[in-house]
Amino acid sequence: MDLSNIKNLKNLDANNFFLLAGPCAIEGEEMALRIAEKVVDITSKLKIPYVFKGSFKKANRSRIDSFTGIGNKKALKILRKVGETFEVPTVTDIHENEDAAMAAEYVDILQIPAFLVRQTDLVVAAAETGKTVNLKKGQFMSPEAMQHAVRKVKDSGNDNAMITDRGTMFGYQDMIVDFRGIPTMKQFGTTVLDVTHSLQQPNQSSGVTGGRPDMIETIARAGVVTGVDGLFMETHFDPANAKSDGANMLHLDHLEKLLSNLVAIRQTVNQL
C-alpha cells in the first residue's frame, strides 16, 4: 500500500520504518495527550513516520471484571483530539461490524484484532469505510494465510491494507515470533511487527495476561534487521498501573533510547 494515503503521516522521505505506538487502551484525555506529546517529540527528532495508537474499547478480556473502556464515543473523541492536536494519524481496533463506520468518523486506520481477522463480515465492513485497514495476524495462522485477509480488503474495493505480525501461540502460555514470516507477508502487503503483543504470556491462571517487556528491544532489533516496514508497540508512563496489558508494555521513559538504537540499525541495513 502507499503510505502517503494516510493523512498527516510525516517523514515518509526519511527511508525509515514507521511506528504505530501509544497506550493499549484510552484511559482518559490527559493520559492520551501526555503519551502522544512525548512520542510525537521523539519521532519528530528521529524522523520516524508516526501513528498514534489507542483502543477505544477492549472487547477481548480474560475476565468479566477486566477494564473494557471509558465509553465508546468518549474514547473516540479523545482519539480525534490527539490527531487534531498533534497533526498525526490515529489507529484503533474494532470488534463488531457496526464499530467500523462509527470509528471511521474519528480515526485514520481501522485495526482488525488477531482473534477476529478471519471474520469476513468485520474485515469487509472495515474495508468499505475506505480507511486503511491494519490486519493483525491471528496467533493461530500462518504468514501465508494472511494473503486471504488482504484479498478480502482489496476485493471490497480498498487497496489500503497492511499486515501486522503479533506472534504465534507456542504452547498454552507463550508467544513466539517466526521472523521468516516477515518477508513472506511483505509479498502480500506492507508489513508491521507488533513487538509488545508478541511478548505476551496469555492464559495465565490468574486471568491476567503476563509478558516479557525485557525482550522488547531484542524482538524489535530482529524485526528491523529482517526488513519490516513498520513497528507497533504499546507504551505508557506507568505500565504497572495501566488498565490493560501493562505486563508487556514499554515504559515511556525507555522509548527514545530504544527508537534511537533501532533507527541506527535501519540506517546500517539500508547501506547493505
Side-chain angles (χ1 to χ4, degrees), residues 140-198:
F140 45 85
M141 291 174 64
S142 70
E144 290 82 1
M146 286 304 294
Q147 65 184 298
H148 305 298
V150 173
R151 177 50 56 193
K152 290 176 184 178
V153 176
K154 292 185 176 181
D155 286 349
S156 301
N158 187 338
D159 290 329
N160 297 313
M162 64 175 75
I163 306 167
T164 295
D165 193 348
R166 49 94 73 241
T168 302
M169 287 304 298
F170 187 72
Y172 288 114
Q173 295 176 323
D174 208 357
M175 310 289 296
I176 192 166
V177 178
D178 181 354
F179 288 97
R180 298 173 300 177
I182 291 175
T184 298
M185 290 187 291
K186 285 183 69 171
Q187 299 175 63
F188 315 132
T190 300
T191 300
V192 178
L193 175 61
D194 181 343
V195 178
T196 51
H197 283 108
S198 295

Side-chain angles (χ1 to χ4, degrees), residues 9-29:
L9 189 59
K10 304 176 181 68
N11 295 312
L12 287 173
D13 58 347
N15 199 22
N16 213 343
F17 56 85
F18 64 94
L19 178 69
L20 291 81
C24 178
I26 299 298
E27 302 170 12
E29 182 175 305

Side-chain angles (χ1 to χ4, degrees), residues 173-175 195-201 209-219 246-249:
Q173 295 176 323
D174 208 357
M175 310 289 296
V195 178
T196 51
H197 283 108
S198 295
L199 293 168
Q200 280 185 333
Q201 293 179 319
T209 298
R212 291 288 308 274
D214 56 301
M215 298 295 291
I216 287 174
E217 182 153 1
T218 299
I219 297 294
N248 52 272
M249 264 198 266

Side-chain angles (χ1 to χ4, degrees), residues 58 60-69 207-208 243-244:
K58 300 301 296 182
N60 173 30
R61 302 286 81 194
S62 297
R63 301 191 324 205
I64 198 168
D65 60 345
S66 297
F67 174 80
T68 58
V208 178
K243 294 184 182 297
S244 180

Side-chain angles (χ1 to χ4, degrees), residues 223-235:
V224 171
V225 169
T226 313
V228 76
D229 299 304
L231 294 173
F232 178 112
M233 58 183 72
E234 291 181 341
T235 184

